Amino acid sequence: MTERFYITTPIYYVNDVPHIGHAYTTIAADVAARYHRLKGQEVFFLTGTDEHGQKVQEAASKRGVPAQQHVDELHVRFKELWARFNISNTDFIRTTEERHTRVVQKILQDLFDRGEIYRDTYEGWYCTPCERFFTEKDLKEGNCPECGRAVGQISEANYFFKMSQYQNWLIEHINSNPGFVRPESRKNEILGFLKKPLGDLCISRPKERLAWGVPLPFDDQYVTYVWFDALINYVSVHGQVPEIKTCGYWPASHHLIGKDILTTHSVYWSTMLKAIGLELPDNIFAHGWWTVNGQKMSKSLFNVVEPNKLIDQFGVDVIRYFLMREVPFGLDGDFSHKALIGRVNSDLANNLGNLLNRTLNMIQKYYGGAIPTPDVTGPEDEPLKAKAREVIATVDKLFSELAFNKILMAIWEFLDAANVYINDTAPWNLAKTDEGKKRLGTVLYNAAEALRFASVLLHPFMPASAVTLRQQLGLSATVEDEGLASLDAWGKTAPGTQTQPGAQLFPRIEEKEAEKILAAAEAEEKADEAQASGIAPIAEQVTIEDFMKLDFRTGVILEAEKIKKSKKLLKLKVDIGLEQRQVVAGIAEAYEPEQLVGRTIILVANLKPAKLMGIESQGMILAGSDSEKIVVAGFDQELPKGSKVK
Ligand code: ME8
């Protein structure tokens, strides 16, 4: 076992609203980091934000603020979310920090001096949103192969990194290090990609087109291509090249990424490291993609699953658990509230929650809350103890594979074994006889001990719940203090420990509550769809009785005039047959008063009068609107004044 463990997440684009996809990678890295700390390793866990590039420059200028101010304000959203999620990162790197840009420039200068970077004229296609160059054959139906948007043809002088010369070396490295790119399917994808000739990488952007980036140290008319800048974060956090080699944290144990950025990491980053003269990371793990109702999450589709809201609704640990348990790490998954509720009820409330409750209740009932001293052991105790030894070994092996969902399945098998142990030994029967009472203490001690094991194994996934679990068991030392070594023997809980039963760890989400959550989620989905289409969502249903309470009448506008100091309001006099009404209507931007006189309109005639700009309005006229215009409703044929409208 190497003493040091270094794990990273991608550094997220600072412009993005942090969503469940970003949380996924970060939580996975946190779980691994916490586990390796429990093993006694020195862990460095890095996350951060990617703050240069075209999109940031554009967003800042749209807001009318300097780019630096923009990123200073926006990156906080990630920091705050990670704090809420109990993310235990060692550092948070921002690519606009001087400690990072300094290293980027040093590396660039060094590569330039050694002839790894050269200047040439580039002719080809460029996708502005993706900030990437493409050759004719890369394009998909003439558009960007990444985002599908239109590309522009450009010809300009730029700087290039001699990436192509490392193609064969990289193929060889991937083949001789089976664990380098994982899962296997992604490794094959990269090997497939490397069958085509690898070009050199354009690593500069002319300042006149893009000013927001790290200036090239050897040509101040250019800034660094955002990926060449961003990837270096994984080492710049440790200092300059000589220190990186000696800091003890390089090469990284794992770069966790989503499958969207597999090429940039396994090809660009690997060849960059080779050229710089640094070792390659032990592993690049590209996990799968979360969709919502089968659709990609994106700001423009208004369907981003907002983690803060989920935390408010379900709690941090439920979300951490769900994301790690629901989908095998490496495969795609679809997010649904229904599956989330299912997991809470079956795994957390029923299985874990129940084991804790029944154990504490019986310890309370039979031993006044103090964990009993084990007395007579029996053959039924053995399978549980064996399972405990087994789960520790299984979990350790699965952590080396980052098989988070399998780890949780293994822990739950152990919890199942503890529940089965209680069912089979039936402490409630043991309590009835003197002979049985000799076994009772042992059974309840073992149940409590199983929960202590669970608290340690669950800590990486649900750190706050592990704390509560241990408080209720009466254990004073924290999991972090005791580490995995506290599981090296069965029986470390001190008999006599006073338990402290408290609130249920994971209350069941009852059917009514579940229905409410699902209905709210569905309404939100509809609202998202509507927002994406530009149409306002449909309001809550009303009954026909509700509707019939409203009295709509036809009326003719007799007079119309502007209201002083109001841009939007007109004062109208409307004849509705039985009487005349004074109405204030918000249509001044759409109609001149004289256009309205003589028109037949529809008036809500039984609306309580209200004052607008000090003028009483005795009804409301119907009009349709979108973001650009307002149109007063009318009829295609004449109707007498005062006619009912339904
Ligand atoms: O690509 N499902 O940043 P980014 C799963 N700045 N994971 C998802 C996801 C989803 N729907 N959406 C995002 C960048 N992710 C660059 C990285 S690294 C030197 C530079 C996660 O903000 C996943 O980890 O677009 C993915 O790779 C990453 O967020 C992309 O984040």
Side-chain angles (χ1 to χ4, degrees):
M1 181 178 81
T2 49
E3 279 309 306
R4 298 210 166 163
F5 180 83
Y6 177 31
I7 190 160
T8 66
T9 73
I11 46 169
Y12 305 108
Y13 286 129
V14 74
N15 268 350
D16 286 351
V17 182
H19 62 60
I20 211 74
H22 305 116
Y24 184 52
T25 324
T26 312
I27 291 169
D30 187 58
V31 170
R34 285 177 182 273
Y35 180 74
H36 285 270
R37 283 193 203 105
L38 292 189
K39 283 182 81 169
Q41 286 174 278
E42 280 176 54
V43 170
F44 200 102
F45 165 18
L46 181 66
T47 189
T49 38
D50 192 349
E51 304 190 350
H52 287 127
Q54 191 105 10
K55 279 180 257 184
V56 172
Q57 183 174 289
E58 278 166 13
S61 74
K62 222 172 165 182
R63 283 181 63 204
V65 298
Q68 188 63 53
Q69 183 187 332
H70 177 73
V71 298
D72 286 347
E73 285 166 9
L74 258 61
H75 85 280
V76 178
R77 298 187 301 191
F78 284 92
K79 276 191 179 157
E80 285 175 351
L81 184 63
W82 303 153
R84 277 201 90 187
F85 264 122
N86 254 327
I87 300 299
S88 62
N89 52 307
T90 318
D91 205 335
F92 186 103
I93 191 152
R94 304 176 52 200
T95 52
T96 53
E97 288 172 313
E98 200 261 340
R99 62 170 172 163
H100 170 74
T101 56
R102 189 176 1 128
V103 178
V104 172
Q105 288 194 320
K106 175 92 186 315
I107 286 175
L108 281 165
Q109 185 66 55
D110 177 52
L111 293 180
F112 184 71
D113 293 345
R114 290 194 283 114
E116 295 277 345
I117 289 174
Y118 64 94
R119 188 183 159 100
D120 199 2
T121 299
Y122 179 85
E123 283 184 38
W125 299 93
Y126 186 68
C127 174
T128 310
C130 294
E131 294 171 45
R132 292 200 36 196
F133 293 97
F134 296 103
T135 60
E136 184 81 35
K137 67 177 183 347
D138 290 334
L139 302 182
K140 254 196 198 149
E141 292 163 7
N143 291 324
C144 170
E146 295 287 322
C147 72
R149 279 177 275 209
V151 287
Q153 202 162 19
I154 58 170
S155 163
E156 69 186 16
N158 264 310
Y159 288 88
F160 293 83
F161 163 53
K162 288 186 183 166
M163 185 162 75
S164 59
Q165 61 180 330
Y166 296 116
Q167 178 162 11
N168 290 336
W169 162 83
L170 182 58
I171 295 170
E172 170 58 26
H173 183 87
I174 295 172
N175 280 327
S176 50
N177 293 277
F180 177 53
V181 177
R182 278 192 283 157
E184 188 76 10
S185 56
R186 299 290 160 219
K187 178 181 110 177
N188 294 335
E189 190 181 315
I190 281 302
L191 286 172
F193 174 85
L194 288 169
K195 284 202 172 112
K196 286 185 288 181
L198 188 63
D200 287 344
L201 182 66
C202 178
I203 55 114
S204 63
R205 298 292 183 264
K207 253 193 189 152
E208 69 214 29
R209 208 148 52 73
L210 172 65
W212 187 239
V214 182
L216 291 187
F218 43 81
D219 189 337
D220 65 5
Q221 292 310 301
Y222 290 85
V223 298
T224 313
Y225 169 45
V226 71
W227 270 104
F228 199 92
D229 159 8
L231 286 160
I232 290 175
N233 90 88
Y234 298 133
V235 294
S236 68
V237 72
H238 300 302
Q240 291 289 1
V241 173
E243 290 95 63
I244 296 163
K245 285 184 177 162
T246 53
C247 74
Y249 288 112
W250 192 259
S253 318
H254 297 284
H255 285 323
L256 297 196
I257 56 169
K259 65 179 185 182
D260 55 326
I261 53 178
L262 178 66
T263 314
T264 47
H265 280 76
S266 39
V267 179
Y268 296 5
W269 182 225
S270 301
T271 52
M272 282 165 70
L273 284 166
K274 173 72 177 160
I276 298 166
L278 287 170
E279 278 182 78
L280 265 54
D282 295 345
N283 165 244
I284 296 171
F285 197 107
H287 65 65
W289 208 243
W290 282 93
T291 50
V292 191
N293 303 315
Q295 262 199 324
K296 201 177 159 173
M297 259 180 283
S298 89
K299 236 191 319 190
S300 54
L301 291 175
F302 297 99
N303 67 345
V304 168
V305 178
E306 221 282 280
N308 279 301
K309 203 158 162 196
L310 284 180
I311 294 176
D312 294 341
Q313 230 170 356
F314 297 97
V316 167
D317 282 353
V318 167
I319 307 303
R320 287 178 64 115
Y321 174 78
F322 176 76
L323 291 176
M324 292 298 102
R325 173 63 184 84
E326 189 65 5
V327 178
F329 204 59
L331 299 186
D332 295 342
D334 196 43
F335 183 87
S336 91
H337 285 77
K338 195 167 172 196
L340 181 52
I341 293 169
R343 287 278 166 216
V344 172
N345 285 347
S346 67
D347 302 3
L348 298 176
N350 269 3
N351 207 322
L352 172 61
N354 212 13
L355 177 65
L356 177 65
N357 286 347
R358 67 207 293 219
T359 303
L360 294 184
N361 284 345
M362 287 189 284
I363 292 176
Q364 191 64 39
K365 186 165 168 192
Y366 304 125
Y367 295 97
I371 294 176
T373 309
D375 186 1
V376 177
T377 54
E380 296 121 310
D381 304 339
E382 271 324 299
L384 180 62
K385 294 182 189 172
K387 196 83 195 161
R389 285 191 295 274
E390 182 192 311
V391 71
I392 295 166
T394 308
V395 163
D396 196 60
K397 177 175 169 290
L398 292 173
F399 258 110
S400 68
E401 297 166 18
L402 299 178
F404 300 107
N405 80 318
K406 284 193 192 159
I407 297 170
L408 286 169
M409 280 156 79
I411 298 173
W412 254 255
E413 262 181 40
F414 171 64
L415 295 174
D416 280 341
N419 272 318
V420 166
Y421 173 71
I422 294 179
N423 294 348
D424 289 353
T425 51
W428 44 91
N429 287 336
L430 295 174
K432 289 180 192 158
T433 66
D434 285 344
E435 197 51 32
K437 277 183 189 152
K438 290 186 192 150
R439 279 283 289 147
L440 181 63
T442 309
V443 168
L444 292 182
Y445 179 88
N446 284 340
E449 185 64 351
L451 282 161
R452 182 181 72 86
F453 268 62
S455 74
V456 178
L457 296 172
L458 289 175
H459 160 85
F461 295 89
M462 301 192 282
S465 303
V467 169
T468 314
L469 183 54
R470 287 171 80 87
Q471 271 166 358
Q472 298 203 5
L473 285 171
L475 305 173
S476 50
T478 65
V479 176
E480 283 107 321
D481 285 345
E482 295 209 319
L484 216 52
S486 63
L487 302 189
D488 60 8
W490 187 266
K492 285 192 162 180
T493 299
T497 300
Q498 191 63 36
T499 59
Q500 295 174 3
Q504 273 200 5
L505 199 52
F506 296 105
R508 227 188 118 68
I509 301 176
E510 297 302 341
E511 212 163 302
K512 276 232 168 87
E513 175 67 14
E515 275 169 18
K516 249 204 228 152
I517 295 173
L518 294 179
E522 202 179 321
E524 202 170 308
E525 255 166 50
K526 287 224 172 103
D528 291 346
E529 278 168 26
Q531 205 173 348
S533 67
I535 302 170
I538 307 290
E540 210 182 312
Q541 277 188 348
V542 296
T543 62
I544 184 75
E545 289 79 19
D546 289 335
F547 176 75
M548 292 308 280
K549 283 186 191 160
L550 296 171
D551 193 348
F552 298 99
R553 298 297 176 112
T554 57
V556 173
I557 299 178
L558 302 177
E559 291 169 15
E561 61 182 277
K562 291 200 161 147
I563 293 176
K564 260 190 215 154
K565 288 195 189 152
S566 170
K567 272 205 309 210
K568 292 198 170 155
L569 300 178
L570 288 183
K571 188 168 91 178
L572 311 174
K573 188 181 274 177
V574 182
D575 183 352
I576 55 167
L578 298 168
E579 57 192 70
Q580 293 184 357
R581 293 283 182 88
Q582 171 174 288
V583 176
V584 179
I587 53 175
E589 285 174 319
Y591 294 90
E592 290 302 324
E594 49 275 22
Q595 284 178 279
L596 292 165
V597 176
R599 275 181 70 149
T600 299
I601 50 82
I602 304 165
L603 188 86
V604 188
N606 63 338
L607 203 61
K608 264 197 189 138
K611 275 199 174 162
L612 292 160
M613 304 277 293
I615 303 169
E616 186 172 271
S617 182
Q618 303 157 336
M620 193 165 86
I621 70 166
L622 296 191
S625 65
D626 66 6
S627 57
E628 281 154 23
K629 56 181 183 297
I630 301 176
V631 182
V632 167
F635 297 93
D636 60 1
Q637 287 179 38
E638 278 306 309
L639 268 174
K641 288 174 281 196
S643 301
K644 268 203 154 265
V645 180
K646 285 190 275 191

